[in-house]
Amino acid sequence: MKKNICFFALLFGMFCNNASAIWTNKTIVFGGLTRSYRVYQSPNYNSSNPASLLIALHGLGDNMTNFSTIGFNFIADTANIICVFPQAVADPYAGTAWNSGAGYMGYYYPNSGINDIGFINALIDTAIGTYSINQSKIYLCGFSMGGFMTERMALQSNTRIAAFGSMSGTIGSGITTYNPGRHVPIAHFHGTADSTVFYTGNSYGIDPDSLINYWVSNNGCNNVPNIFSYPNIVNDNITVERFEYSNGDEQSDVWFYKMTGASHTLLYQPNNDITEIIELWYFFNRHTLASSNVNDFTELIETTQLFPNPTNDKITLYTNDNILNSFVTIFDANGKLVFQKQIENKSFIDVSNLENGVYFVKISNNKSIEVKKFVKN
C-alpha cells in the first residue's frame, strides 16, 4: 500500500521555487518514542490571518518526505494552509505503518501497540501552539494505509477535525468500535481496478461500497445521491464519477469518487481527468467545525480528578482509569497552547509560571478526550 508518484507530481517538484518553499522537518516525543513529521509553511502565511491545518498520512512502507511531494504545498500557497506530513513508525514485518486496524486477511495488524490516534492529536496541539491556526478548519486525509488511519480517526477521534478524506483506504478489519458520535463530513476516492486495496473483496477491511453505506447511514443522508460525471477528456482508460450524498446539511456530506479503471495510485491532471488532491481540498474547504473554540469544549468523560482548584503553583491530575500514554495539553482562555506533556495515571504539573486566569486541561488518548477547567491565582 505504498504511494505511487505519478508524472504530474514529479513536474510539481521540477517547477517548485525552492527559495520560497518553507519546509521543516520536526520531531515530537510521544508514547515513549521520538516521532518525526514534515511541515510546509507557505511564504504567504501571516499569523494575523489564521490558517487551515491539513494533516496528510502516507501509505504502508512510505515516508513523510516522499509523501510530502503529492502537491498539497502548491494548494497551500494560495489557500492559506499549514500542511503536516507525519511519519509512521517502522513495523518489524510490514515497514512503516499506521495502527489503522488494517490487517491482511485479519491475520496481522501492523503496529497494533502504537498510539497513532494520540500522536495525531498531539500534532494538532503542537501545530496550534506553533502557528496561528483556525481551529474550525482542521482536516485529515491519507492514502492507502493512511486512508485506513484516516477512517479510524473519523470513527474514534473526530471532535477536533472538520472533515476527512480517504484515498484508496477504507475501514480496517481490526476496527470493531464504530463510535463517531456525530455527523462526519467525509470524502472517499477509490479505483475499481485497485489491485492492492481491492474495490470488491478487500483483504484489509471493508469494501468501498460498504464504507459509503456506513457513512451515509451515520450521517442521515438521502440514499439517492446526486451524481456528477467528469468529462472523459484524457485517453487514460479511466472515468470518474462523484456521488454526493446529503441531507441538506453540508456538515453531513458524504462524497464518493468512483474512479472506474483506476489502479492503486493518485490521479493528476493532465495525465488524468481530475487531480485528486484538488478535488479533496474543494471538499474540505466547504466544511468548518461548528464548535472548535477551547471555550466550547465539554467534558466528554468523567474519570479524571484535578486538584487543587484554584491553584497558585501546581495541579495534580489523578484518574482511576488507566491513562498511560495519554497526552495532556493546557490552553489559556484564548485557546493558546501553553503546556503539553505525556502523562501516566498520576501527574503533577507545575503551573507557577502561568499568568493568573482561567485555563483548560485536555487529556486525550485513543479511547477518549476529557477537558477540565482550572483557575490560576
Side-chain angles (χ1 to χ4, degrees), residues 107-119:
Y107 174 69
Y108 180 72
Y109 297 94
N111 281 334
S112 58
I114 300 297
N115 183 9
D116 280 323
I117 288 181
F119 171 54

Side-chain angles (χ1 to χ4, degrees), residues 157-177:
S157 185
N158 61 46
T159 58
R160 311 172 67 192
I161 299 172
F164 297 79
S166 60
M167 300 171 283
S168 305
T170 66
I171 297 174
S173 57
I175 302 300
T176 58
T177 302

